Amino acid sequence: MQFKKSWIMALTLTSVLALSACGNNGGNKATTNNGGNTPAATNTESSSGAKLSGSVLASGSTALQPLVEQVAEEFMKTNSGVDIQVQGGGSGTGLTQVSEKQVDIGNSDVFAEEKLKDAAKAAELKDHQVAVVAIAAVSNPKAGVDSLTKQQLVDIFTGKITNWKDVGGADQAIQIINRPASSGTRATFESFALGTKTEDIKGSIQEDSSGTVKKMIGETPGAIGYLALSYLDDTVKTLNYDGVEPSVDNVVAGKYPVWAYEHMYTNGEPNETVKAFLDYFLTDEVQTGDVVELGYIPASKMQVSRDVAGTVTPK
Amino acid sequence: MSFCVLLLIVIIISMVYFVASKGVANFVNGEVKVSEFLFGTKWSPEADTPSYGAFPFISGSFLVTLLAALIASPLSICAALFMTEIVPGWGKKLLQPVIELLSGIPSVVYGFVGLSVIVPFLRDTLPGQGIGVAAGALVLSVMILPTITSVAADALASLPQNLKESSFALGATRWQTISRVILPTTFPAIMTGVVLGMARAFGEALAVQMVIGNAPFVPHSLFESASTLTSVITLGMGNTTMGSPQNNALWSMALVLMLMTFVFVLLVRMLERRNKI
């Protein structure tokens, strides 16, 4: 009998929580678009006297979340009438929610066209590229390799090469630490470092959080994986790609190819408050401040640009 | 009062309906066959010709759950006996808070301890990379210890005193009383605890996900990377868009999890009924 009671208690608690979460979402859906303001309020200092107000809800990519949170906090300090909420949930969630107008901004590691099956829905979304993330292949320090070519990486991640000695390293079996098939980081690594999609290999390990991936690579003998530049430190060995060092300068100059934009999508043209917030992202203050501080690469500094199809053109 | 109950019923029904309707979407629109989903061993949703075989995950979930129950049950029952029969005084005073503490630790902590302690230990002493089914089962077994122990201890404590006294009066030793009288009488109640523990293990996501490796294959050894239903759902749900076949396949797995929970609840009910007689 005691059990039944505790079960019912637990159920009630969960449903109350679920309900309150729903209510929250619903409330945020109705973003107030303050029409009475002067339209030229792109400057966040709003020196013209126009006050921005309203609430903004952003959700999606957990890789981008810390940056958006930090920038939102600064933005709210100078614009006391604005309330910005940032949620995680993953790129897929962000894109789904923004295309269904449940949130104002959908954060994503990949182009919407790659995730949304419905091309018409993807076309409705407006892309705002706020930062760049570069990804480097990393190995356990004891693997004894400094650099890998594209072909060697492909052979390793498709299971053709299974020992480090075949690529000039120690006599040690290779252990792949991968990301799940749906991960944006994996998609970036596969399309720009390997140039091909890979099947999961039996015995490979998949972890989703970058922290866990780093820990695993640092501790597991013979491990190989890939991490965003901001996560690299001495516990893992950063591998050069085709002889090119994965450094910020090389990414900016277009020499190192394994990088992707961090996107903030809006459904159609953003309203005044959202636009002011997104514009604030591209100011020098944020691009050379928060973006660099948190380990991303400023989108404004990039000397090359890349489109959905992956074609890179000099700016 | 009745409003709350009504609300509760509506919420439960709508949740079940939501999971079920999303879960069968792939089967209804012909994207995936039920048999292919349940027994297919190939999971490659991002490939050009995607396949959605969930058998590796279903088998992985059952494997870690059964292993965890096998490890945790004897330990829990011994702990419960110790608390109630052997040293009810300080034994209970010491063990009860420890067990309550264990059940209060968040699963991410269990996962991290597993990753920092159990995985390196397995890697150094046994074949494989430490990550795998064995690590998952070990972490889970610690997590379900409190559930089984507290249910078993409750069952043992609620045993009528005269039963034991009659046994002692017949000249039985303590061990004889425990093994011939106490354990057989409380067996259904203890099994309730085991089933509840298994239900917890089956549904646990985070801790297992961190240590099991998540490779989408049916494991051939205990030290090989494998996946559970929960780990695949948590890894994939955020990265896929609603309505895509891959997302729907994850909901199908959620449906399997939900149906399994019903089975566990049903089992507990049946055991409770047996317990009364």
Side-chain angles (χ1 to χ4, degrees):
Chain A
M1 204 43 216
Q2 254 201 331
F3 268 113
K4 264 190 219 157
K5 262 187 203 159
S6 60
W7 271 103
I8 290 175
M9 269 287 281
L11 274 173
T12 325
L13 273 175
T14 8
S15 42
V16 166
L17 277 175
L19 268 184
S20 64
C22 285
N24 208 351
N25 244 348
N28 283 321
K29 220 183 281 180
T31 307
T32 44
N33 188 353
N34 206 331
N37 281 343
T38 34
T42 45
N43 187 343
T44 53
E45 261 70 52
S46 50
S47 49
S48 59
K51 282 272 274 180
L52 288 167
S53 66
S55 65
V56 179
L57 182 61
S59 79
S61 163
T62 44
L64 186 52
Q65 197 179 0
L67 177 65
V68 182
E69 271 170 0
Q70 184 167 326
V71 175
E73 212 135 282
E74 284 166 20
F75 187 78
M76 285 188 284
K77 260 182 215 156
T78 45
N79 297 274
S80 51
V82 181
D83 176 47
I84 302 172
Q85 276 195 43
V86 188
Q87 299 170 352
S91 302
T93 307
L95 288 169
T96 310
Q97 290 189 333
V98 76
S99 90
E100 281 167 6
K101 299 194 175 165
Q102 288 167 351
V103 296
D104 304 296
I105 301 171
N107 300 329
S108 172
D109 305 335
V110 291
F111 281 98
E113 288 84 346
E114 297 172 52
K115 278 274 175 192
L116 292 171
K117 298 278 180 257
D118 191 346
K121 272 190 174 171
E124 278 172 19
L125 300 180
K126 194 163 185 300
D127 190 3
H128 307 265
Q129 296 161 352
V130 294
V132 164
V133 165
I135 293 156
V138 291
S139 74
N140 184 280
K142 288 184 189 140
V145 170
D146 291 325
S147 179
L148 288 175
T149 65
K150 179 177 180 177
Q151 191 54 46
Q152 284 173 331
L153 275 176
V154 172
D155 287 346
I156 288 172
F157 277 89
T158 51
K160 257 186 225 154
I161 292 178
T162 53
N163 196 307
W164 283 105
K165 69 172 192 261
D166 295 334
V167 289
D171 184 7
Q172 168 75 50
I174 294 176
Q175 172 65 48
I176 297 173
I177 316 272
N178 219 331
R179 299 295 179 107
S182 54
S183 148
T185 310
R186 174 157 165 181
T188 305
F189 185 74
E190 286 185 346
S191 42
F192 302 119
L194 306 180
T196 168
K197 278 197 168 154
T198 57
E199 298 258 315
D200 290 309
I201 295 171
K202 206 165 161 46
S204 70
I205 292 168
Q206 292 183 20
E207 297 286 348
D208 199 30
S209 100
S210 300
T212 312
V213 169
K214 188 172 87 176
K215 188 172 156 65
M216 290 304 307
I217 294 174
E219 291 175 0
T220 312
I224 187 170
Y226 39 90
L227 283 168
L229 291 195
S230 49
Y231 281 94
L232 300 180
D233 62 20
D234 289 343
T235 59
V236 293
K237 170 87 189 153
T238 309
L239 302 174
N240 291 350
Y241 176 75
D242 273 339
V244 183
E245 188 197 347
S247 66
V248 173
D249 291 338
N250 282 340
V251 175
V252 168
K255 285 182 196 153
Y256 182 78
V258 194
W259 56 271
Y261 288 114
E262 291 290 352
H263 310 262
M264 291 175 79
Y265 279 100
T266 53
N267 199 325
E269 283 299 324
N271 70 36
E272 192 191 348
T273 310
V274 176
K275 185 170 188 327
F277 177 51
L278 289 171
D279 285 341
Y280 177 60
F281 252 100
L282 296 177
T283 57
D284 265 357
E285 187 190 343
V286 172
Q287 289 284 311
T288 55
D290 306 275
V291 170
V292 175
E293 184 189 318
L294 291 178
Y296 307 84
I297 298 167
S300 58
K301 289 277 182 303
M302 291 299 290
Q303 288 161 17
V304 289
S305 66
R306 185 192 271 152
D307 61 10
V308 187
T311 322
V312 177
T313 43
K315 256 189 195 170
Chain B
M1 186 63 194
S2 59
F3 169 74
C4 294
V5 174
L6 208 70
L7 187 70
L8 199 63
I9 293 171
V10 169
I11 289 170
I12 292 171
I13 289 177
S14 44
M15 274 169 74
V16 171
Y17 172 77
F18 182 72
V19 174
S21 64
K22 296 228 82 171
V24 298
N26 263 352
F27 309 133
V28 171
N29 65 22
E31 198 83 44
V32 187
K33 281 200 210 88
V34 181
S35 57
E36 191 192 318
F37 175 76
L38 287 179
F39 303 111
T41 52
K42 192 165 156 53
W43 173 259
S44 55
E46 302 273 325
D48 293 330
T49 44
S51 51
Y52 301 99
F55 184 73
F57 316 136
I58 297 172
S59 59
S61 273
F62 276 102
L63 191 61
V64 288
T65 303
L66 286 173
L67 279 173
L70 277 179
I71 301 168
S73 302
L75 291 172
S76 308
I77 294 167
C78 289
L81 279 172
F82 184 79
M83 272 163 62
T84 50
E85 304 300 329
I86 298 172
V87 263
W90 65 264
K92 200 173 167 90
K93 263 190 211 131
L94 188 81
L95 269 174
Q96 192 90 34
V98 170
I99 285 158
E100 276 160 17
L101 203 74
L102 270 184
S103 66
I105 296 173
S107 50
V108 64
V109 174
Y110 278 107
F112 199 72
V113 169
L115 204 57
S116 311
V117 180
I118 294 177
V119 167
F121 173 75
L122 290 176
R123 182 166 52 221
D124 294 343
T125 50
L126 292 160
Q129 294 290 6
I131 271 199
V133 179
L138 281 174
V139 169
L140 277 180
S141 62
V142 181
M143 293 182 77
I144 65 175
L145 266 176
T147 314
I148 307 181
T149 311
S150 49
V151 174
D154 279 351
L156 291 171
S158 65
L159 202 66
Q161 199 60 33
N162 54 16
L163 217 78
K164 269 183 276 174
E165 274 160 14
S166 351
S167 171
F168 287 132
L170 286 169
T173 60
R174 184 159 73 182
W175 171 240
Q176 284 167 332
T177 310
I178 288 174
S179 64
R180 304 281 169 79
V181 179
I182 295 175
L183 280 182
T185 347
T186 51
F187 181 74
I190 290 174
M191 278 313 287
T192 308
V194 173
V195 173
L196 282 172
M198 284 172 73
R200 162 135 208 229
F202 203 79
E204 170 53 41
L206 197 56
V208 181
Q209 184 205 305
M210 285 168 86
V211 297
I212 199 168
N214 307 308
F217 296 100
V218 182
H220 291 304
S221 105
L222 290 181
F223 310 106
E224 202 170 275
S225 168
S227 300
T228 62
L229 289 165
T230 46
S231 73
V232 176
I233 293 173
T234 47
L235 283 178
M237 204 51 108
N239 290 323
T240 54
T241 48
M242 277 272 183
S244 61
Q246 187 182 355
N247 190 273
N248 284 337
L250 295 177
W251 282 105
S252 304
M253 289 183 215
L255 181 63
V256 172
L257 271 174
M258 198 173 72
L259 293 176
M260 272 314 295
T261 313
F262 289 161
V263 171
F264 282 125
V265 171
L266 218 69
L267 270 174
V268 170
R269 288 276 162 160
M270 279 162 63
L271 286 164
E272 263 179 2
R273 198 167 303 155
R274 244 189 86 190
N275 204 10
K276 272 180 197 136
I277 303 165

